[in-house]
Amino acid sequence: MIFTLTVISLLLLVLYVKELRKNHKMENDYNYINSRLLDIVNHEESNYILVPSDLNIVKETAENINFLLEKFYDRQIDYRRGQKTILQIFTNISHDLRTPITVLKGYIEMLYLQSQKTDLSPALRTTIEKLEHNSQDLVHSVNNLFNIAKIQSGDMILDIKKINLTQICHEILLEFYNLLEKENFRVEVHIKDKPLYANADADAISRILKNLIDNAIKYGSSGKFLGLSLYEKNSHIFIDIEDHGKGISETDKKYIFTRTYTVDRKKGNGLGLAISQGLASSMGGSISVFSIPRKKTVFTVRL
Ligand code: ADP
């Protein structure tokens, strides 16, 4: 009797140890699967999970995860292909629209200039003025569409070379001189005499600065202040555009660099900052914003 009980106990013990080992092995395998999944998620790499396990349940789980991953990668490829096609169509349409619209704007501009010298009925004068204003908006929007499509599809070719940022900043400010004066803005410029150079695309820098100054005037109008500072710090060059207008809330800050995000649809189409950020990052730089509403808003371009 005692012998039988001892044998049973021993058998149970062996079974228990075996089960314990199996559980331990299963836990290790699942830990490994989890860490591989985390790797794939965090590094966004197209990879699969290889589990050298002899446990059927673990093998099956890994196979099913791999099946899901394969489906996901296929969808990702389809999505990217679709996006590229849409962007290409977008680029082509905006490119085709650009020429006729620019020509149209030229004619309207001529008509407008002529109307200033001619005696016209007030109604006709107002119509021509509206035509002129709207044609400017139209050209601006089509150019924005064209640029964002090119940046997103990676087709924007930049001419990166050593450029004089001091000179560009002065030139851009000069372009805004009349508007700033008309809007009664106080302007503060902090640019040292010694020129600062950077490897960048001159047109892209101009476009970014114009957009930021344009926004500072448009959205910061209540503060009647524009600041521009150009400086070097920790081997980077920075350009700050500051205004003292209504500013940007913490919530809006998260979205303003996103395509089509605009707080006021009447004032813009929300592409300017997305284009500027895209251009800056194509040059290895970035744009950030700091804002204390109604006190101080600073957009910083880092190169
Ligand atoms: P748009 O001006 O065409 O709407 P932007 O991409 O240039 O597009 O700007 C996105 C949004 O960011 C604007 O609609 C505006 O709400 C906000 N914004 C940009 N610059 C400023 C600024 N200097 N002060 C306050 N808000 C700003």
Side-chain angles (χ1 to χ4, degrees), residues 104-131:
L104 206 66
K105 180 178 173 273
Y107 284 127
I108 293 172
E109 194 103 25
M110 272 163 53
L111 191 68
Y112 173 75
L113 290 174
Q114 197 58 39
S115 75
Q116 299 295 304
K117 300 181 209 149
T118 325
D119 227 5
L120 293 176
S121 70
L124 191 55
R125 186 177 296 282
T126 315
T127 308
I128 294 175
E129 276 168 9
K130 276 189 187 153
L131 259 180

mmCIF file of all heavy atoms in Angstrom, residues 104-131:
data_model
loop_
_atom_site.group_PDB
_atom_site.id
_atom_site.type_symbol
_atom_site.label_atom_id
_atom_site.label_comp_id
_atom_site.label_asym_id
_atom_site.label_seq_id
_atom_site.Cartn_x
_atom_site.Cartn_y
_atom_site.Cartn_z
ATOM 1 N N LEU A 104 -4.438 84.901 -66.143
ATOM 2 C CA LEU A 104 -5.690 85.591 -65.808
ATOM 3 C C LEU A 104 -5.418 86.714 -64.810
ATOM 4 O O LEU A 104 -5.923 87.837 -64.946
ATOM 5 C CB LEU A 104 -6.646 84.566 -65.194
ATOM 6 C CG LEU A 104 -8.129 84.825 -65.319
ATOM 7 C CD1 LEU A 104 -8.537 84.749 -66.777
ATOM 8 C CD2 LEU A 104 -8.905 83.781 -64.520
ATOM 9 N N LYS A 105 -4.605 86.391 -63.811
ATOM 10 C CA LYS A 105 -4.296 87.383 -62.779
ATOM 11 C C LYS A 105 -3.576 88.583 -63.414
ATOM 12 O O LYS A 105 -3.816 89.736 -63.063
ATOM 13 C CB LYS A 105 -3.423 86.759 -61.691
ATOM 14 C CG LYS A 105 -3.065 87.750 -60.596
ATOM 15 C CD LYS A 105 -2.242 87.081 -59.533
ATOM 16 C CE LYS A 105 -1.746 88.100 -58.534
ATOM 17 N NZ LYS A 105 -0.488 88.714 -58.944
ATOM 18 N N GLY A 106 -2.688 88.296 -64.374
ATOM 19 C CA GLY A 106 -1.967 89.364 -65.074
ATOM 20 C C GLY A 106 -2.932 90.318 -65.763
ATOM 21 O O GLY A 106 -2.815 91.543 -65.647
ATOM 22 N N TYR A 107 -3.916 89.733 -66.484
ATOM 23 C CA TYR A 107 -4.908 90.574 -67.183
ATOM 24 C C TYR A 107 -5.725 91.392 -66.186
ATOM 25 O O TYR A 107 -6.002 92.569 -66.390
ATOM 26 C CB TYR A 107 -5.853 89.698 -68.031
ATOM 27 C CG TYR A 107 -5.203 89.206 -69.307
ATOM 28 C CD1 TYR A 107 -5.180 87.852 -69.629
ATOM 29 C CD2 TYR A 107 -4.606 90.101 -70.197
ATOM 30 C CE1 TYR A 107 -4.590 87.391 -70.790
ATOM 31 C CE2 TYR A 107 -3.997 89.647 -71.369
ATOM 32 C CZ TYR A 107 -3.989 88.289 -71.660
ATOM 33 O OH TYR A 107 -3.393 87.857 -72.803
ATOM 34 N N ILE A 108 -6.121 90.744 -65.094
ATOM 35 C CA ILE A 108 -6.927 91.442 -64.086
ATOM 36 C C ILE A 108 -6.114 92.590 -63.470
ATOM 37 O O ILE A 108 -6.627 93.676 -63.218
ATOM 38 C CB ILE A 108 -7.427 90.457 -63.010
ATOM 39 C CG1 ILE A 108 -8.429 89.495 -63.640
ATOM 40 C CG2 ILE A 108 -8.063 91.190 -61.839
ATOM 41 C CD1 ILE A 108 -8.882 88.354 -62.766
ATOM 42 N N GLU A 109 -4.836 92.342 -63.281
ATOM 43 C CA GLU A 109 -3.933 93.361 -62.726
ATOM 44 C C GLU A 109 -3.885 94.580 -63.665
ATOM 45 O O GLU A 109 -3.964 95.733 -63.218
ATOM 46 C CB GLU A 109 -2.534 92.753 -62.592
ATOM 47 C CG GLU A 109 -1.591 93.538 -61.738
ATOM 48 C CD GLU A 109 -1.432 92.915 -60.358
ATOM 49 O OE1 GLU A 109 -1.648 91.698 -60.215
ATOM 50 O OE2 GLU A 109 -1.109 93.680 -59.446
ATOM 51 N N MET A 110 -3.780 94.279 -64.974
ATOM 52 C CA MET A 110 -3.753 95.359 -65.972
ATOM 53 C C MET A 110 -5.057 96.152 -65.926
ATOM 54 O O MET A 110 -5.070 97.384 -65.956
ATOM 55 C CB MET A 110 -3.557 94.782 -67.381
ATOM 56 C CG MET A 110 -2.088 94.628 -67.752
ATOM 57 S SD MET A 110 -1.854 93.529 -69.164
ATOM 58 C CE MET A 110 -2.914 94.206 -70.387
ATOM 59 N N LEU A 111 -6.157 95.406 -65.875
ATOM 60 C CA LEU A 111 -7.487 96.023 -65.819
ATOM 61 C C LEU A 111 -7.594 96.914 -64.580
ATOM 62 O O LEU A 111 -8.090 98.051 -64.644
ATOM 63 C CB LEU A 111 -8.536 94.901 -65.748
ATOM 64 C CG LEU A 111 -9.989 95.276 -65.931
ATOM 65 C CD1 LEU A 111 -10.235 95.727 -67.363
ATOM 66 C CD2 LEU A 111 -10.886 94.076 -65.611
ATOM 67 N N TYR A 112 -7.063 96.402 -63.473
ATOM 68 C CA TYR A 112 -7.122 97.140 -62.216
ATOM 69 C C TYR A 112 -6.321 98.444 -62.310
ATOM 70 O O TYR A 112 -6.803 99.524 -61.940
ATOM 71 C CB TYR A 112 -6.587 96.252 -61.088
ATOM 72 C CG TYR A 112 -6.451 96.962 -59.764
ATOM 73 C CD1 TYR A 112 -7.566 97.250 -58.985
ATOM 74 C CD2 TYR A 112 -5.200 97.371 -59.299
ATOM 75 C CE1 TYR A 112 -7.447 97.900 -57.778
ATOM 76 C CE2 TYR A 112 -5.072 98.027 -58.094
ATOM 77 C CZ TYR A 112 -6.197 98.297 -57.337
ATOM 78 O OH TYR A 112 -6.067 98.949 -56.158
ATOM 79 N N LEU A 113 -5.101 98.340 -62.855
ATOM 80 C CA LEU A 113 -4.250 99.534 -62.977
ATOM 81 C C LEU A 113 -4.911 100.570 -63.879
ATOM 82 O O LEU A 113 -4.915 101.761 -63.597
ATOM 83 C CB LEU A 113 -2.874 99.151 -63.523
ATOM 84 C CG LEU A 113 -1.992 98.355 -62.538
ATOM 85 C CD1 LEU A 113 -0.715 97.886 -63.210
ATOM 86 C CD2 LEU A 113 -1.664 99.204 -61.308
ATOM 87 N N GLN A 114 -5.504 100.061 -64.993
ATOM 88 C CA GLN A 114 -6.189 100.947 -65.934
ATOM 89 C C GLN A 114 -7.368 101.630 -65.234
ATOM 90 O O GLN A 114 -7.610 102.825 -65.419
ATOM 91 C CB GLN A 114 -6.677 100.107 -67.135
ATOM 92 C CG GLN A 114 -7.032 100.910 -68.374
ATOM 93 C CD GLN A 114 -5.846 101.745 -68.882
ATOM 94 O OE1 GLN A 114 -4.712 101.290 -68.864
ATOM 95 N NE2 GLN A 114 -6.125 102.979 -69.293
ATOM 96 N N SER A 115 -8.086 100.831 -64.420
ATOM 97 C CA SER A 115 -9.283 101.371 -63.759
ATOM 98 C C SER A 115 -8.936 102.496 -62.787
ATOM 99 O O SER A 115 -9.759 103.363 -62.509
ATOM 100 C CB SER A 115 -10.017 100.261 -63.011
ATOM 101 O OG SER A 115 -9.323 99.932 -61.834
ATOM 102 N N GLN A 116 -7.713 102.478 -62.258
ATOM 103 C CA GLN A 116 -7.304 103.519 -61.317
ATOM 104 C C GLN A 116 -7.153 104.882 -62.010
ATOM 105 O O GLN A 116 -7.286 105.916 -61.388
ATOM 106 C CB GLN A 116 -5.970 103.149 -60.651
ATOM 107 C CG GLN A 116 -6.013 101.859 -59.847
ATOM 108 C CD GLN A 116 -6.930 101.941 -58.644
ATOM 109 O OE1 GLN A 116 -6.780 102.807 -57.790
ATOM 110 N NE2 GLN A 116 -7.919 101.049 -58.594
ATOM 111 N N LYS A 117 -6.845 104.779 -63.345
ATOM 112 C CA LYS A 117 -6.615 106.036 -64.081
ATOM 113 C C LYS A 117 -7.883 106.510 -64.787
ATOM 114 O O LYS A 117 -7.916 107.581 -65.364
ATOM 115 C CB LYS A 117 -5.534 105.816 -65.152
ATOM 116 C CG LYS A 117 -4.198 105.378 -64.593
ATOM 117 C CD LYS A 117 -3.223 105.217 -65.762
ATOM 118 C CE LYS A 117 -2.164 104.174 -65.469
ATOM 119 N NZ LYS A 117 -1.698 103.481 -66.648
ATOM 120 N N THR A 118 -8.906 105.648 -64.837
ATOM 121 C CA THR A 118 -10.093 105.979 -65.625
ATOM 122 C C THR A 118 -11.272 106.342 -64.725
ATOM 123 O O THR A 118 -11.347 105.892 -63.587
ATOM 124 C CB THR A 118 -10.504 104.746 -66.488
ATOM 125 O OG1 THR A 118 -9.320 104.077 -66.883
ATOM 126 C CG2 THR A 118 -11.288 105.156 -67.718
ATOM 127 N N ASP A 119 -12.158 107.158 -65.304
ATOM 128 C CA ASP A 119 -13.370 107.510 -64.580
ATOM 129 C C ASP A 119 -14.370 106.365 -64.719
ATOM 130 O O ASP A 119 -14.822 106.065 -65.815
ATOM 131 C CB ASP A 119 -13.967 108.783 -65.232
ATOM 132 C CG ASP A 119 -14.342 109.783 -64.165
ATOM 133 O OD1 ASP A 119 -14.042 109.506 -62.980
ATOM 134 O OD2 ASP A 119 -14.916 110.827 -64.517
ATOM 135 N N LEU A 120 -14.680 105.707 -63.621
ATOM 136 C CA LEU A 120 -15.598 104.568 -63.708
ATOM 137 C C LEU A 120 -16.722 104.737 -62.697
ATOM 138 O O LEU A 120 -16.571 105.465 -61.710
ATOM 139 C CB LEU A 120 -14.858 103.271 -63.379
ATOM 140 C CG LEU A 120 -13.781 102.779 -64.344
ATOM 141 C CD1 LEU A 120 -13.124 101.541 -63.779
ATOM 142 C CD2 LEU A 120 -14.395 102.449 -65.706
ATOM 143 N N SER A 121 -17.814 104.034 -62.963
ATOM 144 C CA SER A 121 -18.901 104.074 -61.973
ATOM 145 C C SER A 121 -18.403 103.355 -60.719
ATOM 146 O O SER A 121 -17.611 102.408 -60.816
ATOM 147 C CB SER A 121 -20.136 103.374 -62.538
ATOM 148 O OG SER A 121 -19.887 101.994 -62.603
ATOM 149 N N PRO A 122 -18.864 103.788 -59.525
ATOM 150 C CA PRO A 122 -18.398 103.146 -58.284
ATOM 151 C C PRO A 122 -18.619 101.636 -58.291
ATOM 152 O O PRO A 122 -17.780 100.872 -57.810
ATOM 153 C CB PRO A 122 -19.236 103.812 -57.198
ATOM 154 C CG PRO A 122 -19.721 105.080 -57.792
ATOM 155 C CD PRO A 122 -19.805 104.884 -59.268
ATOM 156 N N ALA A 123 -19.745 101.202 -58.874
ATOM 157 C CA ALA A 123 -20.056 99.762 -58.878
ATOM 158 C C ALA A 123 -19.011 98.995 -59.677
ATOM 159 O O ALA A 123 -18.510 97.945 -59.245
ATOM 160 C CB ALA A 123 -21.442 99.539 -59.457
ATOM 161 N N LEU A 124 -18.658 99.545 -60.861
ATOM 162 C CA LEU A 124 -17.674 98.868 -61.716
ATOM 163 C C LEU A 124 -16.301 98.861 -61.040
ATOM 164 O O LEU A 124 -15.574 97.853 -61.061
ATOM 165 C CB LEU A 124 -17.606 99.584 -63.071
ATOM 166 C CG LEU A 124 -16.819 98.864 -64.168
ATOM 167 C CD1 LEU A 124 -17.338 97.443 -64.381
ATOM 168 C CD2 LEU A 124 -16.877 99.636 -65.480
ATOM 169 N N ARG A 125 -15.965 99.975 -60.406
ATOM 170 C CA ARG A 125 -14.665 100.066 -59.712
ATOM 171 C C ARG A 125 -14.585 98.996 -58.600
ATOM 172 O O ARG A 125 -13.589 98.286 -58.480
ATOM 173 C CB ARG A 125 -14.485 101.474 -59.121
ATOM 174 C CG ARG A 125 -13.104 101.697 -58.512
ATOM 175 C CD ARG A 125 -12.946 103.118 -58.017
ATOM 176 N NE ARG A 125 -13.012 104.107 -59.086
ATOM 177 C CZ ARG A 125 -12.007 104.383 -59.917
ATOM 178 N NH1 ARG A 125 -10.870 103.752 -59.792
ATOM 179 N NH2 ARG A 125 -12.139 105.283 -60.862
ATOM 180 N N THR A 126 -15.671 98.902 -57.829
ATOM 181 C CA THR A 126 -15.686 97.899 -56.744
ATOM 182 C C THR A 126 -15.539 96.494 -57.317
ATOM 183 O O THR A 126 -14.802 95.652 -56.780
ATOM 184 C CB THR A 126 -17.009 97.981 -55.945
ATOM 185 O OG1 THR A 126 -17.287 99.345 -55.694
ATOM 186 C CG2 THR A 126 -16.940 97.219 -54.658
ATOM 187 N N THR A 127 -16.222 96.236 -58.431
ATOM 188 C CA THR A 127 -16.143 94.902 -59.037
ATOM 189 C C THR A 127 -14.702 94.593 -59.441
ATOM 190 O O THR A 127 -14.182 93.501 -59.171
ATOM 191 C CB THR A 127 -17.056 94.829 -60.294
ATOM 192 O OG1 THR A 127 -18.348 95.268 -59.914
ATOM 193 C CG2 THR A 127 -17.112 93.442 -60.861
ATOM 194 N N ILE A 128 -14.050 95.566 -60.075
ATOM 195 C CA ILE A 128 -12.662 95.334 -60.517
ATOM 196 C C ILE A 128 -11.746 95.125 -59.308
ATOM 197 O O ILE A 128 -10.872 94.258 -59.325
ATOM 198 C CB ILE A 128 -12.183 96.501 -61.418
ATOM 199 C CG1 ILE A 128 -12.999 96.498 -62.717
ATOM 200 C CG2 ILE A 128 -10.691 96.366 -61.733
ATOM 201 C CD1 ILE A 128 -12.722 97.660 -63.646
ATOM 202 N N GLU A 129 -11.991 95.885 -58.254
ATOM 203 C CA GLU A 129 -11.155 95.727 -57.048
ATOM 204 C C GLU A 129 -11.340 94.335 -56.441
ATOM 205 O O GLU A 129 -10.376 93.686 -56.022
ATOM 206 C CB GLU A 129 -11.510 96.813 -56.015
ATOM 207 C CG GLU A 129 -10.752 98.110 -56.312
ATOM 208 C CD GLU A 129 -11.268 99.301 -55.520
ATOM 209 O OE1 GLU A 129 -12.104 99.120 -54.619
ATOM 210 O OE2 GLU A 129 -10.841 100.417 -55.853
ATOM 211 N N LYS A 130 -12.597 93.876 -56.450
ATOM 212 C CA LYS A 130 -12.869 92.528 -55.913
ATOM 213 C C LYS A 130 -12.196 91.466 -56.782
ATOM 214 O O LYS A 130 -11.633 90.490 -56.284
ATOM 215 C CB LYS A 130 -14.378 92.276 -55.872
ATOM 216 C CG LYS A 130 -15.027 92.838 -54.626
ATOM 217 C CD LYS A 130 -16.465 92.364 -54.543
ATOM 218 C CE LYS A 130 -17.187 93.047 -53.397
ATOM 219 N NZ LYS A 130 -18.609 93.133 -53.621
ATOM 220 N N LEU A 131 -12.282 91.687 -58.108
ATOM 221 C CA LEU A 131 -11.649 90.748 -59.050
ATOM 222 C C LEU A 131 -10.161 90.654 -58.747
ATOM 223 O O LEU A 131 -9.586 89.552 -58.668
ATOM 224 C CB LEU A 131 -11.794 91.294 -60.474
ATOM 225 C CG LEU A 131 -12.879 90.713 -61.365
ATOM 226 C CD1 LEU A 131 -12.843 91.411 -62.722
ATOM 227 C CD2 LEU A 131 -12.667 89.228 -61.558
#
